[in-house]
Amino acid sequence: MRKKILKEGTANRIGLAGLFGLIVLMLLSTAPGLMAQVDRVDEEAVKIQELFIDASREKLLGNYDEAISMLENILRKDRENATAAFEMARIYEAQSDRDKSLKYAKDATEWDADNIWYHKFLADLQQQAGQFEEAAATYERVVELEPNDEQSYYRLAFLLVKANEIKDALKVYDDLETRLGLNEEVIRRKHTLYLSQRQDKKAAEELLRLIEAFPDNVQYRHLLAGFYEQIGEGQKARSVYSDILNIDPDNAKAKMALAGQSGQETDEIRFLNQLKEPFYSPDTDIDVKIRKIIPFIQKVADTGDQSLADALLELTDILEEVHPGSAKASSAAGDLLYHSGRKAEALPKYLQTIEEDNANFMVWEQIMQLYEETFQFEALRGFSERAMDYYPNQPVVYYMNALADYHLGNHDAALSTLQQAGFMAGGNVRAMVLIYSLQGLLYQATGDTGAADEAFGKALATDDTAPPALSRYAYALAQREERLKDAEQMARKANELLPGQAAFQMQLGWVLYKRGDYQEARAWLQRAAENEGSASPVILEHLGDTLYQLGKVEEAVANWKKARAAGAGSSALEQKIEQRKLVE
């Protein structure tokens, strides 16, 4: 019978038979609505089959309007043809007409209630439309039709959760567990649902069921201990970790969790020393270890505590040994060295970090900042050019490149690069303050004091408490010997807001020098030189000038010579050294 229908239905389409024959066979074999008609050996049934074949061809060719017209014709001839309705739903979905797609998909499921694919398709449409209650109701029929398919239960439970029917979702999991027996995935999902409902006791009971069923599986105990930590039940968590060590005495994660649990919370060094043994375990994920020490790294960042940093560095050394190639370990070490005042040692750690993983822009930015703070401007220029290749849309990269050119005397190049940085900065307040204030220094260096004042004005209008803007403007005014009282106030405020910056210390020292306060100027310039400023020819020359004013000629000449060795100083530097006196 099927051969006869196909022969008659395709008599005038021999050229397309190869393309559509198999498709049609598949459609007919899965179309109960059509197969019911096949048994009626009459002309009307044959015409419906021909229409369906033609509609299928037009659909495959992307001629949706023609396909819809043919399918509508089928539905006029056979008002409850589920297969035609299903195909209409699929076409309207392809055309993004959700309402019509839903209508015909519902018709298909009503006219052929036992076709599971129709119900799954309708549920997908309902979910996409945000009709989660309706989708869940549809999927209940899927579960009835496919009672042994585990994934159908999971999908039904998911839809019930989306519909905020948590109790019903839990019941679905209970039904599934009745069929499967004790199942880790089901228990995990029930645990999560109870947790979302703040039913901590029931959430814990689910994990305890797993432990009871598999008492030697320490991973389930770790799940329970982690859960107790999550809800603030520290004592219960410690008890579980102790149970783990009774089963597995070498369990590194449990040892790490119990380290320092004597109640002596202030004995931080002892606590960190207890972490060494579990840190040597390669089986414990590095993220777990890092999380354990993050609060202490933050404390070093806040306080600069070198003893605490040293204890942590022993742990990061272990991490680098046990987890070679991990950027997280070298990055943590770099942070500890930087925040404990060892910038020269921090730099190679950060450079190692980006060699291991160059996708963390914050580390690139930290390296550029370190080059700036340690007055390595040749290195900063080269590194910022490299950073441009990786992060061409980051304004700070262009700013740092311009900063390097400013210190190297390439003023035109710096101004051009700053213009590009400004285009990228948009509404980034921090970036615009840095860009405007550096423009001010550049215009000052080229003698355009009007443009310099305008740039500094823009910086302060953007943020009148920004230390870079305050300190740089103060330095420019000192260079001109104008408004020195205002300059001193601005420079002092910058150092109060952001202490410990060698550049700000130098700029305040130079303002005080211009005001004739050589003793205090010497103190600030000496502080800047000791704070990584020994690599800055500007700081060393200013310090030499100040020492000369204080009558310390030998010390002045020594610092001028250091300035010459560090790089380019002022145009008068050579004369100062040769004549052993101040040359303005």
Side-chain angles (χ1 to χ4, degrees):
M1 179 66 69
R2 181 175 300 176
K3 289 181 181 179
K4 179 180 177 182
I5 294 171
L6 287 175
K7 181 178 178 181
E8 293 177 356
T10 58
N12 298 317
R13 284 170 291 278
I14 295 183
L16 294 173
L19 176 61
F20 297 109
L22 179 60
I23 296 170
V24 171
L25 282 169
M26 292 172 62
L27 287 169
L28 297 182
S29 66
T30 58
L34 285 173
M35 290 304 296
Q37 299 172 53
V38 171
D39 292 332
R40 293 157 39 202
V41 187
D42 56 35
E43 185 178 350
E44 188 65 25
V46 172
K47 288 181 179 179
I48 289 176
Q49 298 290 9
E50 288 179 343
L51 278 171
F52 194 85
I53 292 167
D54 290 343
S56 299
R57 181 186 65 249
E58 297 302 331
K59 176 188 168 189
L60 288 170
L61 293 173
N63 301 324
Y64 292 141
D65 289 343
E66 290 84 346
I68 288 172
S69 177
M70 294 173 183
L71 290 169
E72 286 176 340
N73 196 0
I74 291 174
L75 289 171
R76 281 193 292 272
K77 297 174 182 298
D78 182 359
R79 293 178 59 84
E80 294 189 359
N81 191 305
T83 306
F86 178 64
E87 289 303 314
M88 290 278 277
R90 292 175 64 188
I91 291 172
Y92 281 122
E93 182 203 25
Q95 293 182 319
S96 301
D97 190 334
R98 180 181 292 164
D99 290 341
K100 287 184 178 178
S101 183
L102 278 167
K103 173 195 176 302
Y104 283 104
K106 288 177 183 175
D107 286 344
T109 59
E110 290 175 9
W111 296 339
D112 186 355
D114 294 331
N115 190 309
I116 196 167
W117 301 109
Y118 296 171
H119 290 282
K120 286 185 175 182
F121 182 72
L122 175 59
D124 287 342
L125 292 175
Q126 290 167 327
Q127 180 181 338
Q128 292 166 19
Q131 301 174 7
F132 298 113
E133 289 185 22
E134 293 85 347
T138 301
Y139 234 81
E140 286 177 1
R141 179 58 180 159
V142 173
V143 170
E144 290 176 9
L145 293 169
E146 238 175 18
N148 296 317
D149 181 26
E150 180 180 340
Q151 295 306 314
S152 294
Y153 288 86
Y154 289 137
R155 179 74 183 281
L156 174 56
F158 165 79
L159 292 169
L160 287 166
V161 170
K162 296 293 287 185
N164 203 30
E165 299 289 346
I166 307 300
K167 289 183 179 179
D168 288 340
L170 287 165
K171 185 178 183 304
V172 170
Y173 286 135
D174 287 339
D175 292 343
L176 180 57
E177 197 169 36
T178 300
R179 292 179 175 275
L180 298 179
L182 194 70
N183 180 280
E184 179 182 347
E185 181 63 23
V186 173
I187 285 180
R188 281 176 175 269
R189 292 182 182 228
K190 289 173 68 178
H191 167 79
T192 301
L193 282 181
Y194 282 128
L195 189 58
S196 71
Q197 298 299 298
R198 298 184 179 180
Q199 298 184 47
D200 294 343
K201 184 177 179 181
K202 288 188 175 181
E205 286 173 355
E206 291 300 323
L207 297 179
L208 285 165
R209 289 176 61 218
L210 269 180
I211 292 170
E212 183 179 352
F214 306 100
D216 295 329
N217 189 326
V218 296
Q219 293 308 314
Y220 296 149
R221 295 180 187 270
H222 274 298
L223 285 175
L224 181 60
F227 167 66
Y228 282 139
E229 288 178 332
Q230 182 183 349
I231 64 173
E233 295 281 358
Q235 186 58 48
K236 289 183 178 179
R238 288 190 288 274
S239 176
V240 176
Y241 283 126
S242 296
D243 290 342
I244 291 171
L245 290 176
N246 289 332
I247 299 168
D248 179 9
D250 296 323
N251 191 281
K253 189 174 178 181
K255 285 183 178 180
M256 188 160 54
L258 290 174
Q261 297 293 346
S262 65
Q264 300 176 16
E265 296 181 4
T266 58
D267 193 355
E268 294 168 331
I269 305 298
R270 182 183 63 81
F271 168 76
L272 295 174
N273 285 335
Q274 289 181 355
L275 290 179
K276 289 180 182 179
E277 183 183 350
F279 265 49
Y280 270 114
S281 169
D283 297 328
T284 304
D285 190 85
I286 189 172
D287 289 339
V288 174
K289 299 172 183 177
I290 291 287
R291 282 196 296 270
K292 200 72 175 178
I293 61 175
I294 281 177
F296 302 98
I297 296 176
Q298 185 59 53
K299 184 170 183 179
V300 172
D302 294 338
T303 66
D305 188 327
Q306 190 154 335
S307 296
L308 185 58
D310 287 340
L312 287 161
L313 284 165
E314 290 185 42
L315 293 175
T316 59
D317 286 344
I318 295 172
L319 291 180
E320 290 188 79
E321 177 185 343
V322 176
H323 304 278
S326 170
K328 295 172 183 177
S330 52
S331 176
D335 289 343
L336 290 165
L337 291 164
Y338 177 82
H339 290 299
S340 60
R342 289 166 278 187
K343 295 178 181 179
E345 296 175 62
L347 185 55
K349 289 293 184 183
Y350 285 130
L351 289 169
Q352 178 185 336
T353 299
I354 64 166
E355 291 304 317
E356 293 164 340
D357 179 6
N358 62 24
N360 189 335
F361 178 69
M362 291 179 65
V363 179
W364 287 78
E365 190 172 9
Q366 185 74 353
I367 291 169
M368 289 187 287
Q369 184 177 327
L370 264 172
Y371 280 135
E372 176 193 1
E373 292 178 4
T374 55
F375 302 92
Q376 299 182 60
F377 295 110
E378 285 283 3
L380 175 58
R381 181 169 61 179
F383 187 81
S384 59
E385 288 174 355
R386 179 184 170 192
M388 288 176 188
D389 292 334
Y390 286 96
Y391 300 98
N393 298 319
Q394 289 287 352
V396 69
V397 174
Y398 294 85
Y399 161 77
M400 284 293 187
N401 187 259
L403 179 68
D405 273 330
Y406 161 72
H407 283 284
L408 295 172
N410 306 320
H411 297 152
D412 290 340
L415 283 168
S416 176
T417 306
L418 274 184
Q419 186 176 22
Q420 192 170 359
F423 291 145
M424 294 180 179
N428 187 324
V429 171
R430 172 177 170 267
M432 290 311 301
V433 166
L434 292 171
I435 291 166
Y436 286 139
S437 61
L438 181 53
Q439 283 178 336
L441 288 179
L442 283 161
Y443 288 129
Q444 173 72 25
T446 58
D448 191 344
T449 57
D453 285 340
E454 182 180 354
F456 285 125
K458 288 179 179 178
L460 291 170
T462 303
D463 182 358
D464 62 3
T465 62
L470 293 166
S471 189
R472 288 171 173 177
Y473 195 16
Y475 187 68
L477 291 172
Q479 293 288 72
R480 300 182 217 163
E481 298 187 359
E482 296 177 3
R483 296 171 53 198
L484 292 177
K485 184 175 180 180
D486 291 339
E488 181 181 344
Q489 290 177 344
M490 287 191 291
R492 287 191 185 279
K493 186 175 181 180
N495 278 278
E496 289 169 5
L497 291 170
L498 191 58
Q501 300 297 307
F504 296 169
Q505 293 166 343
M506 177 273 287
Q507 287 158 344
L508 175 55
W510 194 238
V511 171
L512 293 167
Y513 174 91
K514 289 295 187 177
R515 296 204 72 186
D517 189 347
Y518 301 124
Q519 287 290 357
E520 191 176 3
R522 175 191 177 183
W524 281 99
L525 289 165
Q526 188 70 50
R527 195 177 303 173
E530 292 170 354
N531 184 16
E532 309 295 342
S534 60
S536 169
V538 176
I539 292 175
L540 294 169
E541 186 174 355
H542 284 344
L543 180 56
D545 294 352
T546 306
L547 290 166
Y548 185 87
Q549 294 284 17
L550 291 170
K552 299 181 181 295
V553 177
E554 293 300 327
E555 292 181 49
V557 173
N559 276 278
W560 288 334
K561 288 181 178 179
K562 289 179 183 178
R564 181 175 62 186
S570 72
S571 58
L573 181 58
E574 283 298 328
Q575 289 178 276
K576 294 176 186 178
I577 294 171
E578 290 175 7
Q579 298 176 22
R580 296 177 58 81
K581 68 177 184 180
L582 190 63
V583 178
E584 297 291 349

